[in-house]
Amino acid sequence: MKFSENLINYCKNCLMPSSRPRIIIKNNICNACKYKDVRKKIDYKKREKDLEKILKKYKSKNKTHDCIVPWSGGKDSSYIAYKLKFKFGMNPLLATFSPLIPSSVGIHNRDQLVKLGFDHIILNPNQKVSSYLSKRFLIERGNPKVAWDAGINAFPIKVALEKNIKLIFYAEHGESHYGGKVLDKKSEMIRNIDEIYEHQIGDDPINWVDENVSNKDLIPYLIPSRKILNKAKIMPLYFAYFDDWDVKRNYEFIKNKIDFKEHDNGRSPGTFTNYDSLDDHVDSIYYHFQFLKFGFGRCWRDAARHIQLNKLNKKDAVKLIEKYDSEINGKDLSKVLNFLGISRIDFFEIAESHRNENFWKKIGNKIELVNKLKI
């Protein structure tokens, strides 16, 4: 195959590659960086007042839960939960769809926030089904977290319906903040169910029925219909719409409030940060497959975000990307192989089957990106 030297372009501001799904790079600037410029003009004091009006409308008058926070125990969802409870006087119910392979750090961090006086509900789905679906989608899509993505979207909504709670707070709208396809003008503020199916899950979980998985097995992953949601009048909002969102600041904030532990190794596998995506051993494998499929991994993602936040310069970002982006963690890999029930040989065969030949070329015994990042 003849490779084009223009298959991957890079944002001249944050270095995010054009291979990121749904990103738009125009005149060498990605839509995430353009959105950052838009955010500079937003009056967040006014937006906070708008938030207070919404909270007043939904605040419980009989001391029950008045909102739900889909909660991993990580920096962002914990930041939201803390703010809602202690700044705005709300009584949030924390809802967790269990990680595929929970980490001790994630369990610790959840315990620390709950101790401050939160109610917490967690769903541990059928592990046999969870493992099967993770293996299936690793093979089919190079993504072991497809079913989990469905679960984390379905569970908070089901809890809201069951408990008649009308307000749900998610973190940030990823399509706006990190470069993507915005389906609706209101999507920055109100969570769009079409984006859940199109951008996060890829299809309707009802389509996953096969000889090993029944309709009953898929109950944890099925999102209630639009008709049911409209009738219930549930309001799913992005907290970041009302907040001058900064993921590093969120970490520093919650670290100051609880005994928030970082990754045991001082940094997370495949990157230079130590405070993000800590609760699931599958995550480092997920990001490695992202690296193979799209030519950028966890470190590149983190570097681009830190550049956008003016916390990292591009020269240092390139060095970090070259050092960490291709890394795969042995401890996490062993746990994932055991969870999926596959051998190392099978795993790496699956991995190579997902390496995108549009973004990679072989030079001697090495495999490199078609357009190597340079500054």
Side-chain angles (χ1 to χ4, degrees):
M1 177 180 178
K2 184 178 180 181
F3 290 93
S4 166
E5 289 300 319
N6 296 309
L7 282 173
I8 304 179
N9 299 312
Y10 306 101
C11 173
K12 71 177 184 180
N13 280 359
C14 72
L15 306 181
M16 183 56 72
S18 58
S19 55
R20 174 182 165 84
R22 302 182 302 280
I23 198 169
I24 298 171
I25 297 179
K26 191 173 181 180
N27 297 324
N28 297 317
I29 305 294
C30 75
N31 49 347
C33 286
K34 290 178 181 177
Y35 181 71
K36 177 193 167 188
D37 291 337
V38 170
R39 289 182 62 212
K40 290 178 181 177
K41 302 174 183 177
I42 294 173
D43 184 350
Y44 281 105
K45 289 185 178 179
K46 180 182 181 303
R47 289 226 176 149
E48 185 174 300
K49 290 179 180 179
D50 293 339
L51 174 62
E52 289 174 344
K53 291 177 183 177
I54 293 171
L55 297 178
K56 185 177 180 181
K57 176 182 176 181
Y58 287 94
K59 189 173 178 62
S60 173
K61 295 178 175 59
N62 57 3
K63 306 298 182 183
T64 59
H65 303 108
D66 38 36
C67 62
I68 288 175
V69 177
W71 184 61
S72 67
K75 64 187 189 318
D76 296 326
S77 56
S78 292
Y79 168 81
I80 294 168
Y82 191 98
K83 284 277 190 174
L84 287 170
K85 186 174 182 70
F86 297 110
K87 180 174 182 176
F88 298 108
M90 299 294 282
N91 185 22
L93 174 61
L94 309 182
T96 304
F97 190 82
S98 176
L100 292 171
I101 309 176
S103 71
S104 59
V105 170
I107 293 170
H108 168 86
N109 289 341
R110 284 194 293 274
D111 286 345
Q112 291 302 300
L113 193 74
V114 169
K115 286 178 181 178
L116 293 184
F118 289 89
D119 292 325
H120 176 220
I121 184 170
I122 186 168
L123 175 63
N124 289 291
N126 182 320
Q127 287 295 288
K128 184 177 179 182
V129 175
S130 178
S131 173
Y132 172 79
L133 290 173
S134 295
K135 179 180 177 179
R136 173 179 165 181
F137 290 123
L138 181 74
I139 295 169
E140 291 181 5
R141 306 187 194 180
N143 181 357
K145 301 190 72 173
V146 171
W148 182 85
D149 283 335
I152 62 167
N153 279 287
F155 182 56
I157 296 172
K158 289 180 176 179
V159 173
L161 289 170
E162 179 186 328
K163 298 187 177 297
N164 196 30
I165 300 171
K166 305 297 184 182
L167 192 58
I168 304 176
F169 276 105
Y170 296 88
E172 75 272 55
H173 181 235
E175 299 299 309
S176 296
H177 281 256
Y178 308 122
K181 183 179 179 182
V182 180
L183 298 184
D184 188 278
K185 291 181 179 179
K186 294 181 179 180
S187 292
E188 180 190 357
M189 174 183 175
I190 303 173
R191 194 169 179 85
N192 186 314
I193 193 169
D194 291 327
E195 288 190 356
I196 294 174
Y197 285 118
E198 183 173 328
H199 299 162
Q200 297 182 40
I201 305 173
D203 64 349
D204 192 326
I206 199 66
N207 298 323
W208 302 344
V209 173
D210 63 13
E211 65 275 11
N212 295 303
V213 176
S214 68
N215 283 297
K216 287 183 179 180
D217 293 328
L218 293 173
I219 289 173
Y221 308 100
L222 298 176
I223 298 173
S225 70
R226 192 187 307 274
K227 182 178 179 181
I228 291 174
L229 294 177
N230 289 340
K231 185 177 179 180
K233 296 182 180 179
I234 291 174
M235 179 62 74
L237 298 176
Y238 288 107
F239 191 85
Y241 176 81
F242 307 97
D243 181 89
D244 192 5
W245 194 251
D246 180 329
V247 293
K248 193 167 191 296
R249 178 220 51 194
N250 294 352
Y251 155 69
E252 292 167 349
F253 176 92
I254 206 65
K255 176 72 174 175
N256 190 48
K257 302 299 181 183
I258 63 172
D259 179 24
F260 186 91
K261 286 189 176 181
E262 297 87 5
H263 197 278
D264 294 336
N265 295 337
R267 63 176 181 82
S268 297
T271 190
F272 60 95
T273 65
N274 66 344
Y275 54 78
D276 180 62
S277 196
L278 299 168
D279 63 323
D280 198 332
H281 288 286
V282 170
D283 284 4
S284 66
I285 306 306
Y286 164 85
Y287 286 115
H288 186 70
F289 271 77
Q290 175 187 286
F291 173 73
L292 298 175
K293 292 191 297 180
F294 304 115
F296 76 100
R298 189 178 194 173
C299 186
W300 203 322
R301 182 205 71 160
D302 289 349
R305 294 181 183 183
H306 277 67
I307 293 170
Q308 290 169 355
L309 293 169
N310 298 316
K311 300 179 188 298
L312 183 67
N313 65 60
K314 289 187 282 188
K315 196 168 185 179
D316 288 340
V318 172
K319 292 178 181 177
L320 291 168
I321 290 167
E322 290 176 346
K323 187 174 183 179
Y324 296 127
D325 217 35
S326 63
E327 183 181 51
I328 187 166
N329 181 269
K331 179 180 177 181
D332 287 346
L333 178 58
S334 294
K335 288 181 179 293
V336 170
L337 295 180
N338 183 61
F339 177 69
L340 300 180
I342 60 176
S343 68
R344 290 177 66 90
I345 293 174
D346 288 342
F347 173 84
F348 285 108
E349 285 182 353
I350 295 167
E352 282 305 311
S353 74
H354 287 285
R355 189 186 291 274
N356 193 324
E357 64 177 7
N358 288 316
F359 305 141
W360 298 95
K361 60 184 177 181
K362 192 168 184 179
I363 301 178
N365 294 324
K366 292 185 177 180
I367 299 176
E368 295 183 355
L369 286 171
V370 173
N371 273 12
K372 197 169 182 180
L373 183 59
K374 295 178 181 178
I375 293 295

